Coordinates of all heavy atoms in Angstrom, one line a residue:
M1 N -9.7 -11.8 2.4 CA -9.0 -11.0 1.5 C -9.5 -9.5 1.7 O -10.6 -9.3 1.7 CB -9.0 -11.3 0.1 CG -8.2 -10.6 -0.9 SD -8.1 -11.3 -2.4 CE -7.0 -10.3 -3.2
Y2 N -8.6 -8.7 1.9 CA -8.9 -7.1 2.1 C -9.0 -6.5 0.8 O -8.0 -6.4 0.1 CB -7.8 -6.5 2.9 CG -8.0 -7.0 4.3 CD1 -7.1 -8.1 4.8 CD2 -8.7 -6.3 5.3 CE1 -7.1 -8.5 6.1 CE2 -8.7 -6.7 6.7 CZ -7.9 -7.8 7.0 OH -7.9 -8.3 8.3
I3 N -10.2 -6.0 0.3 CA -10.3 -5.3 -0.9 C -10.4 -3.8 -0.6 O -11.3 -3.4 0.2 CB -11.5 -5.8 -1.7 CG1 -11.6 -7.3 -1.9 CG2 -11.5 -5.0 -2.9 CD1 -10.7 -7.8 -3.0
T4 N -9.5 -3.0 -1.1 CA -9.5 -1.7 -0.7 C -9.6 -0.7 -1.8 O -8.7 -0.9 -2.9 CB -8.2 -1.3 0.2 OG1 -8.2 -2.2 1.3 CG2 -8.2 0.1 0.6
D5 N -10.4 0.3 -1.9 CA -10.3 1.3 -2.8 C -9.5 2.4 -2.0 O -10.0 3.0 -1.1 CB -11.7 1.8 -3.2 CG -11.7 2.9 -4.2 OD1 -10.6 3.7 -4.2 OD2 -12.6 3.1 -4.9
F6 N -8.3 2.6 -2.7 CA -7.3 3.5 -1.8 C -7.9 4.9 -1.6 O -7.6 5.5 -0.7 CB -6.0 3.5 -2.5 CG -4.9 4.0 -1.8 CD1 -4.5 3.3 -0.7 CD2 -4.2 5.0 -2.1 CE1 -3.5 3.7 0.2 CE2 -3.0 5.5 -1.4 CZ -2.8 4.7 -0.3
R7 N -8.7 5.4 -2.5 CA -9.3 6.7 -2.4 C -10.2 6.7 -1.2 O -10.4 8.0 -0.6 CB -10.1 7.1 -3.6 CG -9.2 7.4 -4.8 CD -10.1 7.6 -6.0 NE -11.0 6.4 -6.3 CZ -11.8 6.3 -7.4 NH1 -11.7 7.2 -8.3 NH2 -12.5 5.4 -7.5
H8 N -10.7 5.7 -0.7 CA -11.7 5.7 0.4 C -11.0 5.8 1.8 O -11.6 6.1 2.8 CB -12.6 4.4 0.4 CG -13.5 4.4 -0.8 ND1 -14.3 3.3 -1.2 CD2 -13.8 5.3 -1.7 CE1 -15.0 3.6 -2.2 NE2 -14.8 4.9 -2.6
I9 N -9.7 5.6 1.8 CA -9.1 5.7 3.1 C -8.3 6.9 3.2 O -7.5 7.3 4.2 CB -8.0 4.5 3.3 CG1 -6.8 4.5 2.3 CG2 -8.8 3.2 3.4 CD1 -5.8 3.4 2.8
L10 N -8.4 7.9 2.3 CA -7.8 9.2 2.3 C -8.8 10.3 2.5 O -10.0 10.2 2.1 CB -7.0 9.5 0.9 CG -6.1 8.5 0.5 CD1 -5.3 8.9 -0.9 CD2 -5.0 8.2 1.5
D11 N -8.4 11.3 3.2 CA -9.4 12.4 3.4 C -9.2 13.4 2.2 O -8.5 13.1 1.1 CB -9.1 13.1 4.8 CG -7.8 13.8 4.9 OD1 -7.2 14.0 3.7 OD2 -7.3 14.1 5.9
E12 N -9.9 14.6 2.2 CA -10.0 15.4 1.2 C -8.6 16.0 0.8 O -8.4 16.4 -0.4 CB -10.9 16.8 1.4 CG -12.2 16.4 2.0 CD -12.1 16.2 3.6 OE1 -11.8 17.1 4.3 OE2 -12.4 15.1 4.0
S13 N -7.7 16.2 1.7 CA -6.3 16.6 1.5 C -5.4 15.6 0.8 O -4.3 15.9 0.6 CB -5.7 17.2 2.8 OG -5.4 16.2 3.6
G14 N -5.9 14.4 0.9 CA -5.0 13.3 0.3 C -4.2 12.6 1.3 O -3.4 11.6 1.0
A15 N -4.5 12.9 2.7 CA -3.7 12.3 3.7 C -4.5 11.1 4.3 O -5.7 11.0 3.8 CB -3.5 13.3 4.9
I16 N -4.0 10.3 5.0 CA -4.6 9.0 5.5 C -5.8 9.6 6.5 O -5.7 10.3 7.4 CB -3.7 8.2 6.3 CG1 -2.7 7.4 5.3 CG2 -4.4 7.1 7.1 CD1 -1.6 6.6 6.0
G17 N -7.0 9.0 6.2 CA -8.2 9.5 6.8 C -8.6 8.9 8.2 O -8.7 9.8 9.1
P18 N -8.6 7.7 8.3 CA -9.1 7.0 9.6 C -8.4 7.6 10.8 O -7.2 7.7 11.0 CB -8.9 5.6 9.6 CG -8.7 5.3 8.1 CD -8.1 6.5 7.6
A19 N -9.1 8.1 11.9 CA -8.6 8.5 13.2 C -8.5 7.4 14.1 O -7.7 7.4 15.1 CB -9.4 9.6 13.7
K20 N -9.4 6.4 14.1 CA -9.3 5.3 14.9 C -8.0 4.5 14.7 O -7.6 4.2 13.7 CB -10.5 4.3 14.6 CG -11.7 4.5 15.6 CD -12.8 3.5 15.2 CE -12.4 2.1 15.6 NZ -13.5 1.2 15.1
A21 N -7.4 4.2 15.9 CA -6.1 3.5 15.8 C -6.0 2.3 15.0 O -5.2 2.1 14.1 CB -5.6 3.2 17.3
S22 N -7.0 1.3 15.1 CA -7.0 0.1 14.4 C -7.1 0.4 12.8 O -6.4 -0.3 12.0 CB -8.0 -0.8 14.9 OG -9.4 -0.2 14.8
A23 N -8.0 1.2 12.4 CA -8.1 1.5 11.1 C -7.0 2.2 10.5 O -6.6 2.1 9.4 CB -9.4 2.4 10.8
R24 N -6.3 2.9 11.3 CA -5.2 3.8 10.9 C -4.0 2.9 10.6 O -3.2 3.2 9.6 CB -4.9 4.9 12.0 CG -4.2 6.1 11.4 CD -3.9 7.1 12.4 NE -3.0 8.0 11.9 CZ -3.4 9.0 11.1 NH1 -4.7 9.2 10.8 NH2 -2.6 9.7 10.4
V25 N -3.8 1.9 11.4 CA -2.6 1.0 11.3 C -2.8 0.3 9.8 O -1.9 0.1 9.1 CB -2.6 -0.1 12.4 CG1 -1.8 -1.3 12.0 CG2 -2.2 0.6 13.6
M26 N -4.1 -0.2 9.6 CA -4.3 -0.8 8.3 C -4.1 0.2 7.1 O -3.5 -0.1 6.2 CB -5.8 -1.2 8.3 CG -6.3 -1.9 7.1 SD -5.3 -3.4 6.8 CE -6.1 -4.1 5.2
A27 N -4.5 1.4 7.2 CA -4.4 2.4 6.3 C -3.0 2.8 6.0 O -2.5 2.8 4.8 CB -5.2 3.7 6.6
Q28 N -2.2 2.9 7.0 CA -0.7 3.2 7.0 C -0.1 2.0 6.3 O 0.8 2.3 5.3 CB -0.2 3.5 8.3 CG 1.3 3.8 8.3 CD 1.5 5.2 7.5 OE1 0.9 6.2 7.9 NE2 2.4 5.1 6.4
F29 N -0.4 0.9 6.6 CA 0.3 -0.3 6.0 C -0.1 -0.3 4.4 O 0.9 -0.6 3.6 CB -0.3 -1.5 6.6 CG -0.1 -2.8 5.9 CD1 1.2 -3.4 5.9 CD2 -1.0 -3.3 5.0 CE1 1.4 -4.5 5.1 CE2 -0.8 -4.6 4.3 CZ 0.4 -5.1 4.3
Q30 N -1.3 0.0 4.1 CA -1.6 0.1 2.7 C -0.9 1.2 1.9 O -0.5 0.9 0.8 CB -3.1 0.0 2.5 CG -3.9 -1.3 3.0 CD -5.3 -1.2 2.8 OE1 -6.0 -0.3 3.2 NE2 -5.8 -2.3 2.4
A31 N -0.8 2.2 2.6 CA 0.0 3.4 2.0 C 1.4 2.9 1.8 O 2.0 3.2 0.8 CB -0.2 4.6 2.9
D32 N 2.0 2.3 2.7 CA 3.3 1.8 2.6 C 3.6 0.9 1.3 O 4.5 0.9 0.7 CB 3.9 1.2 3.8 CG 4.0 2.2 5.0 OD1 4.1 3.4 4.7 OD2 4.1 1.7 6.2
V33 N 2.5 -0.1 1.3 CA 2.5 -1.1 0.2 C 2.5 -0.3 -1.1 O 3.2 -0.6 -2.0 CB 1.4 -2.0 0.3 CG1 1.2 -2.9 -1.0 CG2 1.5 -3.0 1.5
V34 N 1.7 0.7 -1.2 CA 1.5 1.5 -2.5 C 2.9 2.1 -2.8 O 3.3 2.1 -4.0 CB 0.3 2.5 -2.3 CG1 0.3 3.5 -3.6 CG2 -0.9 1.8 -2.3
A35 N 3.4 2.8 -1.9 CA 4.7 3.5 -2.0 C 5.9 2.4 -2.4 O 6.7 2.7 -3.3 CB 5.1 4.1 -0.8
N36 N 5.7 1.2 -1.8 CA 6.8 0.1 -2.1 C 6.7 -0.3 -3.7 O 7.6 -0.3 -4.3 CB 6.6 -0.9 -1.1 CG 7.5 -1.9 -1.3 OD1 7.3 -3.0 -1.9 ND2 8.9 -1.8 -1.1
V37 N 5.4 -0.6 -4.0 CA 5.2 -1.2 -5.2 C 5.5 -0.1 -6.4 O 6.1 -0.4 -7.3 CB 3.9 -1.8 -5.4 CG1 3.6 -2.4 -6.9 CG2 3.8 -3.0 -4.4
S38 N 5.0 1.1 -6.1 CA 5.1 2.0 -7.2 C 6.5 2.4 -7.4 O 6.9 3.0 -8.4 CB 4.1 3.2 -7.0 OG 4.4 3.9 -5.7
N39 N 7.3 2.4 -6.3 CA 8.6 3.0 -6.3 C 9.6 1.9 -6.9 O 10.7 2.2 -7.3 CB 9.1 3.3 -4.9 CG 10.3 4.2 -4.9 OD1 10.7 4.9 -5.8 ND2 11.1 4.0 -3.7
A40 N 9.1 0.7 -7.0 CA 10.0 -0.4 -7.4 C 10.2 -0.6 -8.9 O 11.0 -1.4 -9.5 CB 9.5 -1.8 -6.9
T41 N 9.3 0.2 -9.8 CA 9.3 -0.1 -11.1 C 10.7 0.1 -11.8 O 11.2 1.2 -11.6 CB 8.4 0.8 -11.8 OG1 7.2 0.9 -11.0 CG2 8.0 0.4 -13.2
G42 N 11.2 -1.0 -12.3 CA 12.4 -0.9 -13.1 C 13.7 -0.7 -12.2 O 14.8 -0.6 -12.8
Q43 N 13.5 -0.8 -10.9 CA 14.7 -0.7 -10.1 C 14.8 -1.9 -9.1 O 13.8 -2.7 -9.1 CB 14.9 0.6 -9.4 CG 13.9 1.6 -9.9 CD 14.0 2.8 -8.8 OE1 14.3 2.7 -7.7 NE2 13.5 4.0 -9.3
Q44 N 15.7 -1.9 -8.3 CA 15.7 -2.8 -7.2 C 14.7 -2.7 -6.3 O 14.5 -1.4 -5.9 CB 17.0 -2.8 -6.6 CG 17.6 -4.0 -5.8 CD 18.8 -3.8 -5.1 OE1 19.5 -2.9 -5.3 NE2 19.3 -4.8 -4.4
A45 N 13.9 -3.6 -6.0 CA 12.7 -3.3 -5.0 C 13.2 -3.0 -3.6 O 14.1 -3.7 -3.1 CB 12.0 -4.6 -5.0
P46 N 12.7 -1.9 -3.1 CA 13.1 -1.6 -1.6 C 12.3 -2.6 -0.8 O 11.4 -3.3 -1.3 CB 12.5 -0.2 -1.5 CG 11.5 0.0 -2.6 CD 11.8 -1.0 -3.7
T47 N 12.6 -2.6 0.4 CA 12.1 -3.6 1.4 C 10.5 -3.3 1.5 O 10.1 -2.0 1.8 CB 12.9 -3.3 2.8 OG1 14.1 -3.4 2.6 CG2 12.3 -4.5 3.8
A48 N 9.8 -4.3 1.3 CA 8.4 -4.3 1.5 C 7.9 -3.9 3.0 O 8.7 -4.4 3.9 CB 7.7 -5.5 0.9
P49 N 6.7 -3.4 3.3 CA 6.3 -3.2 4.6 C 6.0 -4.5 5.3 O 5.8 -5.5 4.7 CB 5.1 -2.3 4.5 CG 4.7 -2.4 3.0 CD 6.0 -2.8 2.2
R50 N 6.1 -4.5 6.6 CA 5.9 -5.7 7.5 C 4.4 -5.8 7.6 O 3.6 -4.9 7.5 CB 6.5 -5.3 8.8 CG 6.5 -6.5 9.8 CD 7.4 -6.2 10.8 NE 8.9 -6.3 10.6 CZ 9.6 -7.3 10.6 NH1 9.1 -8.5 11.1 NH2 10.9 -7.4 10.2
C51 N 4.0 -7.1 7.7 CA 2.6 -7.4 7.7 C 1.9 -6.7 8.9 O 2.4 -6.7 10.0 CB 2.4 -8.9 7.8 SG 0.6 -9.5 8.1
F52 N 0.8 -5.9 8.7 CA 0.1 -5.3 9.7 C -0.6 -6.2 10.7 O -0.8 -5.8 11.9 CB -1.0 -4.4 9.0 CG -2.3 -5.0 8.7 CD1 -3.3 -5.0 9.6 CD2 -2.4 -5.7 7.6 CE1 -4.5 -5.8 9.3 CE2 -3.5 -6.4 7.2 CZ -4.6 -6.4 8.0
R53 N -0.7 -7.4 10.4 CA -1.6 -8.3 11.3 C -0.6 -9.1 12.1 O -0.6 -9.0 13.5 CB -2.5 -9.1 10.5 CG -3.4 -9.9 11.4 CD -4.6 -10.5 10.7 NE -4.2 -11.8 10.1 CZ -5.0 -12.5 9.5 NH1 -6.3 -12.0 9.1 NH2 -4.7 -13.8 9.0
C54 N 0.2 -9.9 11.6 CA 1.1 -10.8 12.3 C 2.5 -10.1 12.7 O 3.1 -10.5 13.6 CB 1.4 -12.1 11.6 SG 2.4 -11.9 10.2
R55 N 2.9 -9.1 11.9 CA 4.2 -8.4 12.0 C 5.4 -9.3 12.1 O 6.4 -9.1 12.5 CB 4.1 -7.7 13.5 CG 2.9 -6.7 13.6 CD 3.3 -5.4 14.3 NE 2.4 -4.3 13.7 CZ 2.8 -3.5 12.9 NH1 4.0 -3.4 12.4 NH2 1.9 -2.6 12.4
K56 N 5.2 -10.5 11.5 CA 6.4 -11.5 11.5 C 7.3 -11.3 10.3 O 8.4 -11.5 10.4 CB 5.8 -12.9 11.6 CG 5.3 -13.4 13.0 CD 5.0 -14.8 13.0 CE 4.5 -15.2 14.3 NZ 3.4 -16.3 14.1
S57 N 6.6 -11.0 9.2 CA 7.4 -10.8 8.0 C 6.9 -9.8 7.1 O 5.8 -9.2 7.3 CB 7.4 -12.3 7.2 OG 6.3 -12.6 6.9
T58 N 7.8 -9.5 6.0 CA 7.3 -8.4 5.1 C 6.4 -9.1 4.1 O 6.6 -10.4 3.8 CB 8.5 -7.8 4.4 OG1 9.4 -8.8 3.8 CG2 9.4 -7.2 5.4
V59 N 5.6 -8.3 3.6 CA 4.6 -9.0 2.6 C 5.0 -9.0 1.2 O 6.0 -8.3 0.9 CB 3.2 -8.1 2.6 CG1 2.5 -8.2 3.9 CG2 3.5 -6.7 2.3
N60 N 4.6 -9.8 0.4 CA 4.9 -9.8 -1.1 C 3.9 -9.1 -1.8 O 2.7 -9.3 -1.6 CB 5.0 -11.4 -1.6 CG 5.9 -12.2 -0.9 OD1 7.0 -11.7 -0.6 ND2 5.5 -13.5 -0.6
A61 N 4.3 -8.0 -2.5 CA 3.4 -7.1 -3.1 C 3.9 -6.9 -4.5 O 5.1 -6.9 -4.8 CB 3.4 -5.7 -2.4
C62 N 2.8 -6.9 -5.4 CA 3.1 -6.6 -6.8 C 2.0 -6.0 -7.5 O 0.9 -6.1 -7.0 CB 3.6 -7.9 -7.4 SG 2.3 -9.1 -7.5
L63 N 2.2 -5.7 -8.7 CA 1.2 -5.0 -9.6 C 0.3 -6.1 -10.3 O 1.1 -7.0 -10.9 CB 1.8 -4.1 -10.6 CG 1.2 -2.8 -11.0 CD1 0.7 -1.9 -9.7 CD2 2.2 -1.9 -11.8
A64 N -0.9 -6.0 -10.1 CA -1.7 -7.0 -10.8 C -2.0 -6.5 -12.5 O -1.5 -5.4 -12.7 CB -3.0 -7.2 -10.2
R65 N -2.4 -7.5 -13.2 CA -2.6 -7.1 -14.6 C -3.5 -5.8 -14.9 O -3.4 -5.2 -15.8 CB -3.2 -8.3 -15.3 CG -2.4 -8.4 -16.6 CD -3.0 -9.5 -17.5 NE -2.5 -10.9 -17.1 CZ -2.9 -12.0 -17.7 NH1 -4.0 -12.0 -18.5 NH2 -2.5 -13.1 -17.3
D66 N -4.5 -5.7 -14.0 CA -5.5 -4.6 -14.1 C -4.9 -3.3 -13.2 O -5.7 -2.4 -13.1 CB -6.8 -5.0 -13.5 CG -6.8 -5.4 -12.1 OD1 -5.7 -5.4 -11.6 OD2 -7.9 -5.6 -11.5
S67 N -3.6 -3.4 -12.9 CA -3.0 -2.2 -12.3 C -3.3 -2.1 -10.8 O -3.0 -1.1 -10.1 CB -3.3 -1.0 -13.0 OG -2.8 -0.9 -14.2
A68 N -4.2 -3.0 -10.2 CA -4.4 -3.0 -8.9 C -3.1 -3.5 -8.2 O -2.3 -4.2 -8.8 CB -5.5 -3.9 -8.5
I69 N -2.8 -3.2 -6.8 CA -1.7 -3.8 -6.1 C -2.2 -4.9 -5.4 O -3.2 -4.8 -4.6 CB -1.1 -2.7 -5.3 CG1 -0.3 -1.7 -6.2 CG2 -0.1 -3.4 -4.3 CD1 0.2 -0.5 -5.5
V70 N -1.6 -6.1 -5.5 CA -2.0 -7.2 -4.6 C -0.8 -7.6 -3.7 O 0.2 -7.5 -4.1 CB -2.4 -8.5 -5.5 CG1 -3.6 -8.3 -6.2 CG2 -1.2 -8.9 -6.5
W71 N -1.1 -7.9 -2.5 CA -0.2 -8.3 -1.4 C -0.6 -9.5 -0.6 O -1.7 -9.8 -0.5 CB 0.0 -7.1 -0.6 CG -1.2 -6.6 0.2 CD1 -2.0 -5.5 -0.4 CD2 -1.7 -7.0 1.3 NE1 -2.9 -5.4 0.6 CE2 -2.7 -6.2 1.6 CE3 -1.3 -8.0 2.2 CZ2 -3.6 -6.4 2.8 CZ3 -2.1 -8.1 3.4 CH2 -3.2 -7.4 3.7
T72 N 0.4 -10.2 -0.2 CA 0.2 -11.4 0.6 C 1.4 -11.6 1.6 O 2.3 -11.3 1.4 CB 0.4 -12.7 -0.4 OG1 -0.2 -12.5 -1.5 CG2 -0.2 -13.9 0.3
C73 N 0.8 -12.0 2.8 CA 1.9 -12.1 3.8 C 2.1 -13.7 3.9 O 1.3 -14.6 4.0 CB 1.2 -11.8 5.3 SG 2.3 -12.3 6.6
P74 N 3.4 -14.0 3.7 CA 3.9 -15.4 3.6 C 3.8 -16.1 5.1 O 3.7 -17.3 5.1 CB 5.4 -15.4 3.1 CG 5.8 -13.9 3.5 CD 4.6 -13.1 3.4
S75 N 3.7 -15.4 6.1 CA 3.6 -15.9 7.4 C 2.2 -16.2 7.9 O 1.9 -17.4 8.3 CB 4.1 -15.0 8.5 OG 5.5 -14.8 8.3
C76 N 1.3 -15.3 7.8 CA -0.2 -15.6 8.3 C -1.1 -15.9 7.1 O -2.3 -16.2 7.4 CB -0.5 -14.5 9.2 SG -0.8 -12.9 8.5
G77 N -0.7 -15.5 5.9 CA -1.6 -15.7 4.8 C -2.6 -14.7 4.4 O -3.4 -14.8 3.5
V78 N -2.6 -13.6 5.2 CA -3.5 -12.5 4.9 C -3.1 -12.0 3.5 O -2.0 -11.9 3.3 CB -3.5 -11.5 6.2 CG1 -2.1 -10.8 6.1 CG2 -4.7 -10.6 5.9
E79 N -4.1 -11.6 2.8 CA -3.8 -10.9 1.6 C -4.8 -9.9 1.2 O -5.9 -9.9 1.8 CB -3.8 -12.0 0.4 CG -5.2 -12.6 0.3 CD -5.0 -13.9 -0.7 OE1 -4.0 -14.1 -1.3 OE2 -6.1 -14.7 -0.9
G80 N -4.4 -9.0 0.3 CA -5.3 -7.9 -0.1 C -5.1 -7.4 -1.4 O -4.2 -7.8 -2.2
R81 N -5.9 -6.5 -1.8 CA -5.8 -5.9 -3.1 C -6.3 -4.4 -3.1 O -7.2 -4.1 -2.4 CB -6.9 -6.7 -4.0 CG -7.1 -6.2 -5.4 CD -8.2 -7.1 -5.9 NE -8.3 -6.7 -7.3 CZ -7.5 -7.3 -8.3 NH1 -6.5 -8.1 -8.1 NH2 -7.7 -6.7 -9.6
I82 N -5.4 -3.6 -3.5 CA -5.7 -2.2 -3.4 C -5.8 -1.6 -4.9 O -5.0 -1.7 -5.7 CB -4.4 -1.4 -2.8 CG1 -4.0 -2.1 -1.4 CG2 -4.7 0.0 -2.7 CD1 -2.7 -1.8 -0.9
S83 N -7.0 -0.9 -5.0 CA -7.2 -0.3 -6.3 C -7.1 1.3 -6.2 O -7.3 1.8 -5.1 CB -8.5 -0.7 -7.0 OG -9.6 -0.4 -6.2
N84 N -7.1 1.9 -7.3 CA -7.3 3.4 -7.3 C -6.1 4.0 -6.4 O -6.5 5.1 -5.9 CB -8.6 3.9 -6.9 CG -9.7 3.4 -7.9 OD1 -9.5 3.6 -9.2 ND2 -10.8 3.0 -7.5
W85 N -5.0 3.7 -6.5 CA -3.9 4.2 -5.7 C -3.2 5.2 -6.6 O -2.4 6.1 -6.0 CB -3.0 3.1 -5.2 CG -2.4 2.2 -6.4 CD1 -3.0 1.1 -6.8 CD2 -1.3 2.4 -7.2 NE1 -2.3 0.7 -8.0 CE2 -1.2 1.4 -8.3 CE3 -0.3 3.5 -7.2 CZ2 -0.2 1.4 -9.2 CZ3 0.7 3.4 -8.2 CH2 0.7 2.3 -9.0
Q86 N -3.4 5.2 -7.9 CA -2.6 6.1 -8.9 C -2.8 7.5 -8.5 O -4.2 7.9 -8.4 CB -2.9 5.7 -10.2 CG -2.6 4.4 -10.6 CD -3.5 3.3 -10.5 OE1 -4.6 3.5 -9.7 NE2 -3.4 2.2 -11.0
G87 N -2.0 8.3 -8.4 CA -2.1 9.8 -8.2 C -2.2 10.1 -6.8 O -2.4 11.4 -6.5
S88 N -2.1 9.1 -5.8 CA -2.0 9.5 -4.4 C -0.7 9.9 -4.0 O 0.2 10.0 -4.8 CB -2.5 8.4 -3.6 OG -1.5 7.3 -3.7
M89 N -0.7 10.5 -2.7 CA 0.7 10.8 -2.3 C 1.7 9.7 -2.2 O 2.8 10.0 -2.1 CB 0.5 11.5 -0.8 CG -0.3 12.7 -0.9 SD 0.2 13.7 0.6 CE -0.3 12.6 1.9
W90 N 1.2 8.5 -2.2 CA 2.1 7.3 -2.2 C 2.4 6.7 -3.4 O 3.0 5.7 -3.6 CB 1.5 6.4 -1.1 CG 1.5 6.9 0.3 CD1 2.5 6.7 1.1 CD2 0.5 7.5 0.9 NE1 2.2 7.4 2.3 CE2 0.9 7.9 2.1 CE3 -0.8 8.1 0.5 CZ2 0.3 8.7 3.1 CZ3 -1.5 8.8 1.4 CH2 -1.0 9.1 2.6
D91 N 2.0 7.4 -4.5 CA 2.3 7.0 -5.8 C 3.6 7.5 -6.2 O 3.6 8.8 -6.4 CB 1.2 7.5 -6.8 CG 1.5 7.0 -8.3 OD1 2.6 6.4 -8.4 OD2 0.7 7.3 -9.1
L92 N 4.6 6.7 -6.2 CA 6.0 7.2 -6.4 C 6.6 7.0 -7.8 O 7.7 7.1 -7.9 CB 6.9 6.6 -5.3 CG 6.6 6.8 -3.8 CD1 7.6 6.1 -3.0 CD2 6.3 8.2 -3.5
R93 N 5.7 6.7 -8.7 CA 6.2 6.6 -10.0 C 6.7 7.9 -10.7 O 6.1 8.9 -10.3 CB 5.1 6.0 -10.9 CG 4.7 4.6 -10.5 CD 3.4 4.2 -11.3 NE 2.3 5.2 -11.0 CZ 1.3 5.3 -11.7 NH1 1.0 4.5 -12.7 NH2 0.3 6.2 -11.4
D94 N 7.8 7.8 -11.3 CA 8.2 9.1 -11.9 C 8.6 10.2 -10.9 O 8.2 11.3 -11.2 CB 7.4 9.6 -13.1 CG 7.0 8.6 -14.1 OD1 8.1 8.0 -14.6 OD2 5.9 8.4 -14.5
Q95 N 9.1 9.7 -9.8 CA 9.3 10.7 -8.7 C 10.5 11.7 -9.0 O 11.4 11.4 -9.6 CB 9.9 9.9 -7.5 CG 9.9 10.7 -6.2 CD 10.4 9.8 -5.1 OE1 10.7 8.5 -5.4 NE2 10.5 10.3 -4.0
Q96 N 10.1 13.0 -8.9 CA 10.9 14.1 -9.3 C 11.7 14.6 -8.1 O 12.8 14.8 -8.1 CB 10.1 15.2 -9.9 CG 9.3 14.7 -11.1 CD 10.2 14.5 -12.4 OE1 11.3 15.0 -12.5 NE2 9.7 13.6 -13.3
V97 N 10.9 14.8 -7.0 CA 11.5 15.6 -5.9 C 11.5 14.8 -4.7 O 10.7 13.9 -4.5 CB 10.4 16.8 -5.6 CG1 11.1 17.7 -4.5 CG2 10.0 17.7 -6.8
P98 N 12.7 14.8 -4.0 CA 12.9 13.9 -2.8 C 11.9 14.2 -1.7 O 11.5 15.4 -1.6 CB 14.3 14.2 -2.3 CG 15.0 15.0 -3.5 CD 13.8 15.6 -4.3
R99 N 11.2 13.2 -1.3 CA 10.2 13.5 -0.1 C 10.9 13.5 1.2 O 11.8 12.5 1.5 CB 9.2 12.5 -0.2 CG 8.5 12.4 -1.6 CD 7.8 11.1 -1.9 NE 6.6 11.1 -1.0 CZ 5.5 11.4 -1.5 NH1 5.3 11.9 -2.6 NH2 4.4 11.3 -0.6
S100 N 10.4 14.3 2.0 CA 10.9 14.3 3.3 C 10.0 13.3 4.3 O 9.0 13.0 3.9 CB 10.9 15.7 4.0 OG 9.6 16.3 3.9
Ligands
ZN1 ZN1 1.1 -11.7 8.5

């Protein structure tokens, strides 16, 4: 299980930090999961991101009781947990301005 403190994968400007390709793929995937789950509140859920590891299917992601985001891949079984995502660039709750 991948346990991630979302603040640790961002740099000072709030953008994705890791420069190494492998770490970046993982970081981008987690950012997509955060955007997906935070944007789904009260509406139809948009398509979840594809598993970063097997790329076979989209992951199941939801909000845990302690406000962390938990995700699982139904194909390869990889799972993870993301905390401290609130307030990041990918936190789409109460979105006011369309993002480009
Ligand atoms: Zn997978």
Side-chain angles (χ1 to χ4, degrees):
M1 182 162 189
Y2 292 87
I3 308 281
T4 303
D5 182 331
F6 198 59
R7 288 173 305 187
H8 292 171
I9 64 171
L10 305 178
D11 64 18
E12 313 82 65
S13 68
I16 289 176
K20 264 179 69 183
S22 56
R24 215 181 159 78
V25 167
M26 178 67 180
Q28 182 63 57
F29 165 78
Q30 290 178 317
D32 289 345
V33 170
V34 169
N36 179 254
V37 172
S38 62
N39 196 25
T41 316
Q43 346 173 339
Q44 202 180 353
T47 308
R50 194 165 280 271
C51 175
F52 76 97
R53 193 165 81 177
C54 70
R55 308 222 149 253
K56 280 186 188 149
S57 55
T58 56
V59 296
N60 299 319
C62 65
L63 215 49
R65 223 187 272 178
D66 63 354
S67 297
I69 289 172
V70 290
W71 56 268
T72 316
C73 174
S75 290
C76 69
V78 64
E79 57 185 2
R81 179 179 182 85
I82 307 167
S83 59
N84 294 317
W85 55 273
Q86 296 89 346
S88 70
M89 289 203 304
W90 292 271
D91 178 358
L92 303 183
R93 296 169 302 167
D94 302 314
Q95 191 178 1
Q96 305 284 336
V97 186
R99 302 161 70 91
S100 53

